[in-house]
Amino acid sequence: FPVTIQVGSQSVTMLELQRSVENLNRQTGNEEGRREANIQSALNQLIQEKVMLEEATRLGWTPADLEVA
């Protein structure tokens, strides 16, 4: 998938962004003014997630350490 943003070794893809925006649109509404805010919110959230994953990797944490289900 095309990469939208590279955060260290982590990538945010267009598909991830699209799914996140669609989820926010369902939760908050899909009005014109709301869509732009949802895109920005989704992108910010995905970047934060990738930064946390990058830091966890740097610290040597594994999924078992993070208790990912």
Side-chain angles (χ1 to χ4, degrees):
F1 296 102
V3 173
T4 304
I5 301 285
Q6 190 73 30
V7 181
S9 65
Q10 304 290 324
S11 300
V12 176
T13 65
M14 283 298 286
L15 182 60
E16 287 176 306
L17 180 57
Q18 181 181 359
R19 286 180 178 163
S20 185
V21 169
E22 287 171 358
N23 286 338
L24 283 173
N25 285 344
R26 279 193 296 276
Q27 293 172 11
T28 64
N30 196 20
E31 297 84 33
E32 185 63 37
R34 193 67 234 157
R35 280 190 293 233
E36 287 295 322
N38 286 347
I39 291 168
Q40 188 63 49
S41 293
L43 189 55
N44 288 341
Q45 179 181 355
L46 287 167
I47 290 170
Q48 288 175 351
E49 288 174 9
K50 300 302 180 174
V51 167
M52 287 188 286
L53 284 171
E54 187 73 10
E55 184 64 8
T57 300
R58 186 185 74 77
L59 294 171
W61 292 351
T62 63
D65 295 332
L66 300 173
E67 295 184 18
V68 175

